Amino acid sequence: MNLENRYPPIADHGMVGDLQTAALVSSGGTIDWWCTPRFDSPSIFASLLDSERGGHCRLAAELPDDGAATVRQLYLSDTAILVNRFMAPGGVGEVADFMTPIEGTVPSDRHRLVRVARVVRGSLSFSFACRPRFDYARAPHTLTLTDDHSAVFHGPGTDLHLQATAPITLQADGDDITARFTLEAGEMAAIVLTSTASGGAAPHPPSLPGIADELQACHTFWHLWLRSSTYRGRWRDMVNRSAITLKLLTYAPTGAPIAAATMGLPEQVGGERNWDYRYTWVRDASLSVRALIDLGFEEEAHAFRLWMRDRLEAGGTASGDPLQIMYRVDGDPHLVEETLDHLEGYMGSSPVRAGNAAADQLQLDIYGEAADALAVTGDFMGAIRGWKAMSDVLDWLADNWDRPDEGIWETRGGRQNFTYSRLMTWVAFDCGVRLATAHSRPADIARWTEVRDTVFRQIVDRGWNKERQAFVQHYDTDVLDASLLLMPRVGFLSPRDPDWLTTLDAMDQELVSDSLVYRYNPEASPDGLRGAEGTFNLCSFLYVEALARAGRLYQARYAFDKMLTYANHVGLFAEEIGPSGEQLGNFPQAFTHLALIAAAMALDEQLDKAETRLRTHIKLPDPPPHRPQRDTGPR
């Protein structure tokens, strides 16, 4: 079997999670990615990175091979409950997958993934196979089949309990489990996977009424959570889905958002740009939390403030800098990168990396993103320790801002004076000066102001390329960089400043392909890595936002509508879009979804202003008077 037949498309997945871990489920009913007990723990199922050795859990209807059957995957509206529907001539059935959210600040070593099969019409047979492979498929396991409906897989440090309801009868297949069962219309059966620490107590046997209650509780949780959203704009379904995705990618015990649920998925199939994104980047986390704050989710803002304050107070990075660019979800700064040579990688894309060596890079922009996110958290200025931590960082940054670094894209081709890094240090000082002044906080305001203005002048003098009539990637190049699309949002210049409009025009010519945006041109600006990459979804949505704020509303809305067509069937985005419209890179990616939210809000704002101006200049007829309908009774 060739690679294309062994691996589903990256986009062919939905995600379920309990706010401490997450699993990917393909539209064919296969769980082919799950790490437990945390996002950044070793995997139990990883067939997405090696279809033969990685491990998986499949529950699906048995369908004819003649093409007469249809399979569809969807989320129950405004929830993280995932449903696969199997529609065949003999019957229609569903498999619902969900994990009940675990709230609170205490990490749990028990995580429960529930799979519910039911038939709604006719009759269908289902097949089931559970083949876990512990520790990224490096460790063997043993199997204990306790009775016809329960079994335990014993791995290193972790047990996976498997429990089923009637009429499912579990059978051993070596050290794995299989089953086959048939349901008639109106019948239901369930399989529950529970991960525990080694020797953990077995869960209580599942019952269908109990599972129905769990499903309802999960449904209620997500609906209640979304009530906090203040978004009432034109793209509510996509914004809600993105908000739920950001919430699912946030580790509840610490409030730390991760960059993506996966590791090792390629930016180019067959290439080497295969990174581990299951960690908390200060940049990504700050922007994710800012998106949630803008939607009205205050609890997430408070949790992130505490996490960030703890990182600032802990210090102790190997370089001596106040912050490391990324951490594990519990704040551990040690992310040693290793290659998993026993895994072939998604469609042969190797090496597969666990851990991330970029953690040791210098990326000065993170101080600006962190300051911006903390500045808008409602309780930050009331926290004495929080302000002291922030002011100490700005004092350090005043001595260290003018250093070459690796930049936002974590290039491995050497340090440069990246314009975006300077831009965000300007943001850090601008936030600090405004907050200290507005709230009468102790600070070296005179020095911060002097440095802020020096950074501004340097960007204007050295980051501007006269020949290109554009701001460029770093001071020694004429290459453009899509990260600078954030310049108007952070207030460095007006979104209709002539210098910005010519920069936007230059990006149109060099970085934009049918509204899709590349980060930069690696051929013109070598980044130390082989191969190419797709267009970057974050940048494509930043482009929409910049167009909207520049008043180019028709172009912005058309670009946004086209970007939404690249979402997968359940509204999720990976990191990049390939040349044929395929999703590439780790999945789903927080960067993409936070940028979608920001683009939708900016576009709504500008469209509303345009419509208000239209109504002002054109006298529209008054709407007809409201005439209450006579109550004619039940219909």
Side-chain angles (χ1 to χ4, degrees):
M1 186 183 297
N2 60 31
L3 288 171
E4 289 79 6
N5 293 331
R6 289 199 287 117
Y7 289 92
I10 292 171
D12 188 37
H13 294 86
M15 177 175 64
V16 297
D18 63 6
L19 310 185
Q20 296 189 20
T21 184
L24 297 188
V25 186
S26 75
S27 64
T30 300
I31 301 172
D32 51 22
W33 182 254
W34 189 26
C35 300
T36 185
R38 302 190 326 195
F39 296 116
D40 55 0
S41 298
S43 62
I44 288 181
F45 302 128
S47 58
L48 201 54
L49 296 178
D50 194 309
S51 63
E52 302 295 329
R53 292 181 287 268
H56 68 271
C57 177
R58 185 172 189 271
L59 175 59
E62 297 178 347
L63 302 175
D65 297 327
D66 58 7
T70 301
V71 178
R72 292 287 186 269
Q73 189 178 58
L74 69 150
Y75 278 114
L76 296 187
S77 181
D78 288 342
T79 77
I81 300 168
L82 194 65
V83 178
N84 284 344
R85 303 198 74 223
F86 303 93
M87 295 166 277
V92 175
E94 299 176 345
V95 173
D97 291 288
F98 70 95
M99 300 178 75
T100 301
I102 304 174
E103 299 183 85
T105 59
V106 179
S108 175
D109 62 2
R110 301 176 71 87
H111 298 274
R112 182 178 172 92
L113 200 164
V114 183
R115 316 200 72 184
V116 183
R118 70 168 184 157
V119 170
V120 296
R121 192 179 71 223
S123 174
L124 278 180
S125 294
F126 292 81
S127 60
F128 173 75
C130 187
R131 306 184 187 279
R133 300 294 182 263
F134 293 82
D135 189 25
Y136 304 118
R138 292 183 293 196
H141 69 269
T142 59
L143 171 67
T144 301
L145 186 59
T146 52
D147 56 46
D148 287 347
H149 302 297
S150 60
V152 186
F153 302 94
H154 305 278
T158 303
D159 289 344
L160 181 64
H161 296 262
L162 172 59
Q163 298 170 305
T165 64
I168 303 172
T169 299
L170 304 178
Q171 296 179 330
D173 181 13
D175 287 329
D176 299 329
I177 288 290
T178 62
R180 185 179 183 276
F181 58 98
T182 300
L183 297 177
E184 305 293 332
E187 293 183 333
M188 183 183 301
I191 292 172
V192 181
L193 304 173
T194 305
S195 67
T196 71
S198 291
H204 294 296
S207 68
L208 290 179
I211 287 174
D213 289 342
E214 281 188 74
L215 182 63
Q216 183 59 49
C218 186
H219 191 278
T220 300
F221 171 87
W222 288 109
H223 278 229
L224 289 176
W225 182 76
L226 272 177
R227 284 185 183 177
S228 296
S229 175
T230 57
Y231 181 77
R232 300 294 183 269
R234 296 165 177 80
W235 295 279
R236 197 175 304 181
D237 286 346
M238 289 301 296
V239 168
N240 283 355
R241 179 54 51 200
S242 291
I244 289 172
T245 301
L246 294 180
K247 179 68 171 175
L248 282 171
L249 294 175
T250 300
Y251 185 65
T254 63
I258 61 172
T262 59
M263 55 176 255
L265 294 181
E267 297 175 19
Q268 179 186 35
V269 173
E272 67 169 336
R273 300 167 185 258
N274 317 315
W275 315 112
D276 189 346
Y277 277 12
R278 301 169 301 149
Y279 307 115
T280 300
W281 271 254
V282 170
R283 174 191 311 109
D284 301 42
S286 298
L287 293 172
S288 294
V289 169
R290 178 59 190 265
L292 291 175
I293 292 170
D294 289 343
L295 292 177
F297 294 103
E298 298 296 337
E299 289 186 11
E300 287 70 22
H302 176 73
F304 177 73
R305 179 186 68 79
L306 296 179
W307 182 87
M308 180 60 70
R309 186 197 68 193
D310 290 346
R311 302 290 74 71
L312 290 170
E313 292 183 343
T317 61
S319 63
D321 300 341
L323 286 175
Q324 190 166 283
I325 71 166
M326 72 180 90
Y327 299 84
R328 293 188 179 275
V329 292
D330 61 355
D332 185 346
H334 303 292
L335 289 84
V336 177
E337 186 175 297
E338 59 179 328
T339 58
L340 306 179
D341 294 328
H342 63 290
L343 298 177
E344 73 170 352
Y346 176 81
M347 290 188 65
S349 304
S350 62
V352 174
R353 296 180 177 91
N356 202 310
D360 296 329
Q361 289 189 355
L362 175 66
Q363 298 176 19
L364 291 169
D365 67 282
I366 63 175
Y367 298 100
E369 284 114 3
D372 183 61
L374 292 173
V376 295
T377 55
D379 57 354
F380 181 73
M381 291 313 303
I384 300 301
R385 288 172 55 194
W387 174 253
K388 183 179 185 306
M390 184 174 176
S391 61
D392 287 348
V393 167
L394 290 176
D395 288 339
W396 174 89
L397 192 60
D399 294 325
N400 290 274
W401 67 269
D402 198 16
R403 297 162 60 187
D405 68 355
E406 277 86 4
I408 180 177
W409 306 129
E410 298 173 1
T411 59
R412 301 193 179 190
R415 293 182 176 181
Q416 299 286 352
N417 292 302
F418 285 103
T419 306
Y420 180 77
S421 296
R422 296 294 193 274
L423 171 70
M424 297 312 293
T425 58
W426 176 87
V427 169
F429 289 115
D430 190 53
C431 284
V433 169
R434 287 188 291 105
L435 290 172
T437 302
H439 297 276
S440 302
R441 289 292 184 255
D444 193 346
I445 296 178
R447 188 182 184 211
W448 292 359
T449 302
E450 179 185 4
V451 174
R452 180 197 64 185
D453 295 346
T454 300
V455 177
F456 184 93
R457 287 190 290 267
Q458 187 188 90
I459 293 172
V460 172
D461 292 341
R462 300 182 63 189
W464 173 259
N465 185 285
K466 186 176 180 180
E467 287 71 28
R468 299 297 306 271
Q469 286 293 291
F471 290 97
V472 291
Q473 184 181 63
H474 61 78
Y475 295 166
D476 299 313
T477 188
D478 62 358
V479 173
L480 303 178
D481 193 306
S483 64
L484 297 179
L485 287 164
L486 279 167
M487 280 184 132
R489 186 207 284 187
V490 300
F492 185 83
L493 41 63
S494 164
R496 303 191 188 194
D497 186 293
D499 288 348
W500 173 245
L501 294 179
T502 57
T503 299
L504 196 54
D505 291 338
M507 290 186 182
D508 275 335
Q509 297 173 15
E510 181 170 305
L511 300 180
V512 181
S513 174
D514 189 33
S515 302
L516 299 173
V517 182
Y518 291 93
R519 295 187 293 181
Y520 55 91
N521 181 355
E523 293 182 2
S525 179
D527 56 15
L529 297 165
R530 296 188 304 274
E533 62 179 15
T535 55
F536 208 72
N537 291 331
L538 163 73
C539 300
S540 297
F541 283 119
L542 293 180
Y543 175 64
V544 170
E545 181 180 352
L547 288 173
R549 296 192 187 283
R552 301 175 180 181
L553 288 181
Y554 174 81
Q555 189 181 358
R557 185 161 191 172
Y558 188 37
F560 189 68
D561 288 341
K562 284 194 288 186
M563 268 305 296
L564 297 185
T565 70
Y566 292 103
N568 79 346
H569 54 287
V570 291
L572 301 182
F573 284 91
E575 183 178 16
E576 301 182 3
I577 301 297
S580 300
E582 70 275 19
Q583 298 213 30
L584 295 171
N586 285 302
F587 177 89
Q589 201 208 30
F591 245 170
T592 303
H593 287 279
L594 68 89
L596 184 157
I597 292 170
M601 296 183 74
L603 194 50
D604 274 318
E605 178 185 358
Q606 298 303 317
L607 288 170
D608 288 346
K609 289 180 178 178
E611 290 175 4
T612 299
R613 288 194 298 270
L614 183 63
R615 286 192 173 93
T616 301
H617 290 91
I618 300 176
K619 176 60 177 175
L620 298 177
D622 293 332
H626 175 63
R627 299 179 185 275
Q629 289 187 340
R630 183 170 57 88
D631 186 0
T632 58
R635 293 175 175 83

